[in-house]
Amino acid sequence: VLVDVNSRRILRQPPEGLPIAFDQTVDKELDFGVERLPVGQGRPILAGYSLCDCNRHINNTRYADLVCDAIDPAAMAESRVKRIVLVYHNEVPFGQEFTLAAAQGEGGYWYVQGTQEAKRCLEAAVWLETDRD
């Protein structure tokens, strides 16, 4: 992904003269679909210093840990993560709070939703499997 650091937006087309081939054809695509499930009340998460990066918002790599912590500990204790899809909607700046809530689906599927001020900032789909699967 190419990002304009000034506007903080993903560039859909490369700037003119940039010697990177953006139009390569690929034979396989990953499914980044997230099946939304109704979630209950979540728990607040503070975007504290240890979660944030030099851009002063939660580092994207930390969300996977937070998502797994939002899932029922009993389910996590008996399983391992088979697959995870993270969809970022909005950054959570340093010092602000957001809420994470999870809902269990079928076949080891969990949906986790992060909200800030009633707007989604993060969604995740997590598939768990046990040693017996």
Side-chain angles (χ1 to χ4, degrees):
V1 174
L2 186 63
V3 176
D4 181 329
V5 295
N6 294 321
S7 68
R8 300 178 87 167
R9 300 273 181 216
I10 294 173
L11 298 177
R12 302 294 178 205
Q13 298 294 322
E16 223 173 282
L18 187 66
I20 298 176
F22 265 63
D23 57 353
Q24 295 176 344
T25 303
V26 292
D27 296 332
K28 183 177 181 182
E29 275 190 38
L30 295 174
D31 176 13
F32 291 109
V34 173
E35 178 190 345
R36 290 181 177 161
L37 299 175
V39 296
Q41 181 139 2
R43 67 180 180 100
I45 307 287
L46 175 66
Y49 178 82
S50 64
L51 294 177
C52 294
D53 58 23
C54 61
N55 294 317
R56 311 236 349 126
H57 58 76
I58 294 180
N59 188 306
N60 289 351
T61 63
R62 300 302 306 269
Y63 282 109
D65 291 331
L66 294 170
V67 162
C68 289
D69 287 345
I71 293 173
D72 178 27
M76 291 299 292
E78 298 174 1
S79 307
R80 64 179 175 272
V81 175
K82 178 179 179 181
R83 184 167 179 248
I84 186 169
V85 173
L86 299 169
V87 179
Y88 305 102
H89 297 293
N90 295 298
E91 299 170 339
V92 179
F94 172 73
Q96 293 187 15
E97 279 190 351
F98 75 109
T99 302
L100 271 182
Q104 185 175 12
E106 295 180 8
Y109 178 77
W110 285 80
Y111 170 70
V112 180
Q113 177 179 280
T115 56
Q116 186 181 39
E117 298 174 4
K119 289 174 50 180
R120 285 187 197 97
C121 55
L122 167 80
E123 291 181 283
V126 181
W127 289 266
L128 301 179
E129 69 177 355
T130 65
D131 290 331
R132 298 177 301 273
D133 290 344

